[in-house]
């Protein structure tokens, strides 16, 4: 028997299919676009194809994420907080704190020893502190998002970007570029800015080890390095940080199916 | 700018043609307003985007105050003879100023409210009550007798007991009345008046007490924080998968949470009763407030607390860190949310509230 | 020596040297204020943290050195060290929607860089935030806060109420420090207040001169004078201001050379380093000739009667207390009498009592033909300060004038 988890985010949709041994047999990352219902269906179909199974082979489906309500064929809806908790705990059983920085929001999730979520904090009102902030800055500097991490690690001088607001920060970055400050330093400054946006949340929830990172921004080595520092020098980052929510959803699907 | 007053359609039929007096803060002595043969109407603002008020006040004032001004500017309170304000907070203070300047004034009065419970504070607030009484007498050319105040105290006392009877139905597992229904009942009080309401409440109690519980066992939570006027918001929270078994807001339970003594000095009785009741955050008594919340949570078998603070409400905002710590130390799970008391902001909070329900589910 | 103690010691030292070279009113003022700051660390005195409108004369007459928390918040912003305490407060859960004067001090208290106060005394006016934050600080240091309920309206009953609270405050201080009040000292401070008042009224009158003998910087943050109230140095500072301006007017010297525009400043100045005043002065020849809060609204105090009563009357008649009418009258009067071309309202972020009134300010000043610009600045948190945007708005306003 197989179980599926679908995570419909505002930017991307992921579907993970696992088997009875909790092993992931297929996943994909699909752009959500304007219609979450269609994106969910397409991502779902794609994973089925990759897994080589049909919908009848699925015993239970859990939908999560901002668009979880647009999955009529889901058996249950569970929030992405619980799903990220489950997914990260599965990948790194020592996880007690999860830092999830997605495209449009960021979260800090606290787990107890059993893996159950006991506390969380979210920022979904403001772009600063999310992947969106990085996108805006990458555009302002005319570089690719993927370059930001490696470039920032070469920074030699600390630059502080003082504005809290993404819009103001963007104009600050533009003037730094105009002043011909090294791009590596500017990007490092941008990364500092993101981390300080999230640090209030991290301190409120507490950074109990082990700390694991999820969400698309975990692919940015520069930011990972900074969070690692705040986490006391050790941090878990999955190979594919974007699918942790969907993985957690699939695992929860299996948990529920086995209970019933 | 000054809008014309329109004759009102009386909703309360016990005494037809009674003039309506608006009020805002649950420290307003409704007993005196009743005794003046006026019909107190709670001013609740609205839950929609602000249209006019932001030209008059900075947008970083709370939705409640801005929406009250907004509605008033659009003529929504023209049917009132006036409004009684309380100096509860800076925002209310400014609302009163804007009301005097830009809304058809009628009878406009502001009462001061001390933050303590010393004899001097009781005396000072008693004097404020006296000032209100005198001002009403002068403006409406009436006499407010001691007897009339005592009668109002009695009928409101009955309302309070009835409310508690109904509220206690939520102690059952599952609760015999939903949080939304109870809130709807509370809101009704502010529009139909005590006499009608008492009958409605009694009938509702009979109905609910005899009915079989239909709800499934769900996580039980206590809702605390800034005033939420709209029962649909409680409904929304319950739809996210939990039962709101108690709310300690001044728009609900805390309004009904008062005991008035019966001595020769009626105004002092009222002063003591109002200052002694379960405190709003503006009273600075955070230890007591937290203790009340914890005690009530335990009494009603709540597993967790959702504390909702109104965005830009300083009195609640400054309490949040301390509150969270105390409540968590008591062993209760706590979710802190910030909203603007509109259903829209709660929609955005949906994920958090649902996640909280998941956390509470064992 | 803690960082803060060092800061005030250095400030005092630096100004002392400057004063030896040349005495200016501004230097003298800041020097005396730095000495007040230093008193926080004086072991011979009990220290009290307060909100801004608390009767410091009573504290001084009891050997208690008072400091209002907004003052410390402002100092930190001015010294450029506020940011870390703001972040600390936010990490502890204090909302960024709240006033940064208060958030800075809570962060500093959480961080433990402030010397532990012996007493906490707060008033319910001018705003809710101040007394709330003092309560939070009380929880950090496990100390009670004495709350003064400042009455909304001035009536015989409310004055009695306030006077009784001052008496209760004296008992509160006595119980906790063993210090008693010296009524002779207190009466002397009333007399000192009146003397200082005379000089200040004159100094402020002189600024009605066109051009004003004062520059925008001379009166900056003069609200801190409340810390000196009733003392001998207060009289000195006031006299030096009067003398300096009298001399300048006599010689036809202006505070700002080539003063073209005269501005009224509403409520508080922007505390952290910024270029606004520079740009106003250099680009537009605009001078802040009067700050709303510097206006001496109170009548000379009654030197014969009860000093507590006299202090209560000063507190209860402050324009910022109660309804907005007195404040609007003062603003309109200042706009007119100081011949202001415009008024600047920084509309400090998180300030509800003034934010809710901003349209009323504009209206009241429009009656006297003084246009107002609302700036939407956080006067204490520079992280939110987009200088480019603010300057653009300011420049547009000045061009409009």
């Amino acid at each position: 028997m197989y179980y599926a988890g679908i995570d419909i985010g505002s930017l991307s949709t992921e579907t993970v299919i696992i088997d009875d041994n909790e092993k992931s047999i297929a996943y994909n990352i699909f752009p959500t676009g304007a219609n979450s219902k269609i994106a969910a269906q397409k991502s779902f179909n794609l994973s089925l194809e990759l897994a080589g199974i049909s919908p009848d082979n699925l015993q239970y489906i859990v939908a999560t994420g901002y668009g979880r309500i647009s999955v009529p064929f889901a058996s249950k809806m569970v929030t992405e907080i619980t799903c990220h908790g489950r997914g990260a705990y599965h990948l790194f059983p020592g996880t007690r704190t999860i830092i999830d920085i997605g495209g449009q929001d960021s979260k800090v999730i606290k787990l107890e020893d059993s893996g159950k979520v006991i506390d969380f904090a979210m920022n979904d009102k403001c772009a600063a502190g999310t992947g969106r902030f990085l996108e805006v800055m990458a555009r302002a500097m005319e570089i690719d998002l993927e370059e930001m991490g490696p470039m920032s690690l070469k920074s030699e001088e600390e630059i502080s970007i003082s504005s809290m607001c993404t819009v103001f920060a963007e104009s600050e970055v533009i003037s730094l570029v105009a002043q011909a400050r090294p791009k590596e330093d500017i990007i490092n400054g941008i990364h500092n800015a993101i981390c300080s946006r999230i640090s209030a949340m991290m301190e409120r929830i507490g950074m109990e080890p082990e700390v694991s990172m999820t969400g698309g921004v975990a692919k940015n080595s520069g930011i990972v390095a900074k969070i690692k520092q705040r986490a006391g020098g050790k941090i878990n980052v999955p190979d594919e940080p974007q699918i942790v929510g969907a993985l957690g959803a699939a695992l929860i699907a299996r948990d529920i199916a086995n209970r019933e | 700018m000054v809008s014309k007053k329109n004759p009102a359609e009386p909703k309360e039929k016990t005494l037809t043609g009674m003039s309506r007096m608006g009020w805002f803060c649950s420290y307003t002595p409704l007993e005196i307003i009743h005794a003046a043969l006026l019909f107190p109407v709670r001013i609740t603002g609205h839950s929609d985007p602000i249209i006019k008020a932001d030209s008059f006040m900075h947008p970083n004032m709370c939705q409640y105050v801005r929406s009250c001004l907004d509605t008033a500017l659009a003529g929504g309170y023209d049917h009132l003879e006036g409004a009684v304000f309380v100096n509860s907070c800076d925002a209310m203070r400014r609302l009163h100023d804007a009301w005097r300047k830009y809304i058809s004034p009628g009878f406009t009065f502001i009462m001061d409210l001390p933050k303590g419970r010393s004899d001097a504070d009781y005396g000072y607030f008693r004097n404020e009550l006296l000032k209100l009484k005198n001002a009403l007498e002068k403006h409406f050319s009436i006499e407010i007798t001691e007897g009339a105040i005592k009668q109002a105290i009695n009928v409101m006392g009955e309302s309070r007991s009835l409310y508690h009877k109904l509220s206690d139905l939520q102690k059952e597992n599952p609760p015999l009345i939903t949080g939304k229904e109870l809130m709807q009942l509370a809101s009704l009080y502010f529009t139909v008046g005590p006499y009608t309401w008492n009958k409605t409440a009694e009938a509702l109690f009979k109905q609910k007490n005899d009915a079989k519980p239909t709800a499934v066992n769900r996580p039980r939570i206590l809702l605390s924080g800034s005033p939420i006027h709209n029962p649909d918001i409680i409904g929304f929270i319950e739809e996210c998968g939990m039962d709101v078994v108690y709310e300690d807001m001044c728009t609900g339970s805390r309004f009904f949470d008062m005991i008035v003594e019966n001595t020769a000095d009626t105004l002092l009785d009222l002063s003591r009763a109002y200052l002694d009741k379960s405190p709003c955050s503006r009273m600075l008594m955070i230890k007591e407030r937290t203790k009340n919340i914890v005690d009530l949570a335990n009494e009603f078998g709540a597993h967790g607390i959702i504390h909702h603070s109104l965005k830009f409400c300083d009195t609640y905002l400054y309490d949040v860190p301390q509150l969270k710590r105390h409540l968590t130390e008591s062993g209760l799970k706590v979710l802190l949310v910030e909203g603007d008391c509109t259903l829209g902001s709660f929609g955005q909070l949906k994920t958090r509230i649902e996640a909280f329900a998941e956390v509470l589910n064992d | 020596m803690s960082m803060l103690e060092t800061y005030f010691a250095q400030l005092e030292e630096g100004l002392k040297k400057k004063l030896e070279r040349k005495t200016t009113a501004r230097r003298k003022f800041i020097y005396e204020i730095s000495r007040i700051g230093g008193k926080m660390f004086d072991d011979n005195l009990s220290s009290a943290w307060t909100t801004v409108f608390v009767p410091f004369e009573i504290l001084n007459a009891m050997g208690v050195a008072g400091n209002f928390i907004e003052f410390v918040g402002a100092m930190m912003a001015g010294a450029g060290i506020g940011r870390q305490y703001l972040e600390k407060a936010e990490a502890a859960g204090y909302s960024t929607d709240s006033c940064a004067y208060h958030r800075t001090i809570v962060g500093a208290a959480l961080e433990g860089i402030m010397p532990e106060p012996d007493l906490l005394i707060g008033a319910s006016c001018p705003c809710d935030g101040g007394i709330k934050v003092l309560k939070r600080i009380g929880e950090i240091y496990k100390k009670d806060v004495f709350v003064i309920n400042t009455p909304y309206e001035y009536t015989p009953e409310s004055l009695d109420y306030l006077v009784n609270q001052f008496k209760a405050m004296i008992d509160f201080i006595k119980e906790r420090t063993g210090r008693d009040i010296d009524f002779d000292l207190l009466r002397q401070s009333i007399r000192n207040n009146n003397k200082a008042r005379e000089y200040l009224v004159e100094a402020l009158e002189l600024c009605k001169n066109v051009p004003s003998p004062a520059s925008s910087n001379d009166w900056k943050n003069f609200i801190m004078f409340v810390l000196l109230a009733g003392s001998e140095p207060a009289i000195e500072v006031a006299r030096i201001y009067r003398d300096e301006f009298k001399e300048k007017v006599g010689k036809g010297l202006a505070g700002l050379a080539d003063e073209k525009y005269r501005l009224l400043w509403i409520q508080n100045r922007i505390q952290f380093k910024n270029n606004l005043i520079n740009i106003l002065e250099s680009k537009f020849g605009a001078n802040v000739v009067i700050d709303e809060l510097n206006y001496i609204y109170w009548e000379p105090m009654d030197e014969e009667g009860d000093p507590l009563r006299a202090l209560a009357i000063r507190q209860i008649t402050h324009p910022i207390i109660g309804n907005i009418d007195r404040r609007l009258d003062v603003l309109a009067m200042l706009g007119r009498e100081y011949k202001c071309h415009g008024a600047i309202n920084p509309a400090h972020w998180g300030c509800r009592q003034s934010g809710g009134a901003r349209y009323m300010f504009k209206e009241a000043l429009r009656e006297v033909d003084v246009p107002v610009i609302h700036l939407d600045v956080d006067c204490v948190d520079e992280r939110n300060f987009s200088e480019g945007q603010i300057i653009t708005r300011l420049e547009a306003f000045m061009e409009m004038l």
Side-chain angles (χ1 to χ4, degrees), chain A residues 64-142:
Chain A
T64 186
Y66 143 90
R68 62 187 174 278
I69 212 162
S70 334
V71 189
F73 53 88
S75 323
K76 191 172 195 243
M77 292 187 285
V78 175
T79 67
E80 52 270 42
I81 284 135
T82 306
C83 290
H84 273 265
R86 185 76 177 81
Y89 187 75
H90 175 82
L91 293 170
F92 307 104
T95 302
R96 297 294 175 266
T97 312
I98 300 162
I99 315 253
D100 169 48
I101 311 176
Q104 302 259 81
D105 68 21
S106 43
K107 312 187 241 322
V108 179
I109 304 168
K110 188 186 216 150
L111 306 178
E112 58 179 23
D113 291 336
S114 66
K116 193 168 166 326
V117 173
I118 51 173
D119 202 0
F120 62 90
M122 266 178 89
N123 160 37
D124 56 2
K125 287 188 184 136
C126 174
T130 73
R132 164 70 90 227
F133 188 81
L134 288 175
E135 272 176 39
V136 168
M137 299 310 155
R139 212 174 36 231
M141 300 187 64
E142 294 177 340

Side-chain angles (χ1 to χ4, degrees), chain B residues 16-73:
Chain B
T16 52
M18 260 210 291
S19 298
R20 295 168 138 65
M21 182 60 63
W23 61 278
F24 302 86
C25 169
S26 64
Y27 284 91
T28 312
L30 299 191
E31 293 84 349
I32 295 180
I33 297 177
H34 280 304
L37 298 181
L38 294 165
F39 191 86
V41 173
R42 189 166 202 164
I43 295 178
T44 56
H46 65 64
S47 304
D48 302 315
I50 304 291
I51 299 175
K52 288 187 181 180
D54 282 350
S55 331
F56 292 85
M57 286 188 162
H58 198 290
N60 74 0
M61 308 284 282
C62 70
Q63 168 84 9
Y64 175 57
V65 154
R66 279 152 64 229
S67 70
C68 288
L69 184 60
D70 218 38
T71 309
L73 288 167

Side-chain angles (χ1 to χ4, degrees), chain B residues 109-237:
Chain B
F109 190 90
I110 185 163
M111 294 177 59
D112 203 359
L113 181 65
K115 295 182 197 285
R117 287 178 180 151
S118 68
D119 284 339
D121 295 322
Y122 291 134
Y124 180 69
F125 193 57
R126 183 196 181 285
N127 198 53
E128 293 296 298
L129 297 174
L130 182 62
K131 276 159 70 179
L132 173 66
K133 174 176 172 292
N134 291 341
L136 285 167
E137 285 179 326
K138 184 163 176 216
H139 185 93
F140 292 99
S141 304
I142 50 163
E143 196 205 336
I144 299 175
T145 65
E146 178 118 6
I149 301 178
K150 283 226 192 282
Q151 188 191 1
I153 292 175
N154 285 337
V155 74
M156 284 187 74
E158 263 178 60
S159 309
R160 294 183 174 117
S161 318
L162 279 165
Y163 181 86
H164 283 302
K165 253 176 50 178
L166 276 149
S167 167
D168 281 349
L169 291 174
Q170 291 200 300
K171 287 182 180 170
E172 304 299 319
N173 200 5
L176 296 177
I177 184 172
T178 69
K180 177 175 176 174
E181 286 169 329
L182 200 55
M183 192 59 160
Q184 280 170 328
L185 184 67
S187 304
L188 190 65
Y189 192 87
F190 307 129
T191 55
V192 306
Y195 294 97
T196 308
W197 188 89
N198 288 356
K199 294 193 201 109
T200 311
E202 188 67 68
L204 186 64
F205 176 75
K206 280 202 177 61
Q207 182 202 344
K208 291 292 176 183
N209 200 27
D210 294 337
K212 275 203 257 304
T214 50
V216 184
N217 270 332
R218 305 195 299 171
R220 299 162 67 91
I221 64 118
L222 184 150
L223 177 65
S224 176
S226 303
I228 289 178
H229 296 276
N230 185 353
D232 288 340
I233 291 178
I234 314 281
F236 180 88
I237 296 174

